[in-house]
Amino acid sequence: MNTNTAVCAEQADPQARREAVLAQLRRERARRQLALDAIEAHLREQPSARSIRACARRWCTAITFLADDVIAAQNGTENPE
């Protein structure tokens, strides 16, 4: 079945479309959970509450910078900083 036929079949079958959307949501949720589990493991390695909070702030900052880089790449511009 070629791509056009698959798209037409998917459009003709709302159940297939629903299944595809649900599968995509499950993949996104699993990827998000893997990332959060890795961050949590890193936080649990910290020796004190103060260092846990500092590490969490560094993760937040790093994620924000990543988001800025992705936005800049999508817009075809460089990061303003």
Side-chain angles (χ1 to χ4, degrees), residues 14-44:
Q15 183 64 26
R17 174 70 179 143
R18 183 176 188 278
E19 294 290 331
V21 169
L22 289 175
Q24 178 65 31
L25 289 173
R26 284 191 294 272
R27 285 190 300 272
E28 289 172 7
R29 182 178 291 165
R31 182 175 38 222
R32 182 179 187 273
Q33 192 59 51
L34 283 171
L36 288 174
D37 288 348
I39 292 169
E40 180 182 7
H42 189 234
L43 293 174
R44 288 186 180 279

Side-chain angles (χ1 to χ4, degrees), residues 66-80:
L66 283 172
D68 291 341
D69 290 344
V70 170
I71 291 167
Q74 285 181 347
N75 292 334
T77 61
E78 293 202 16
N79 197 345

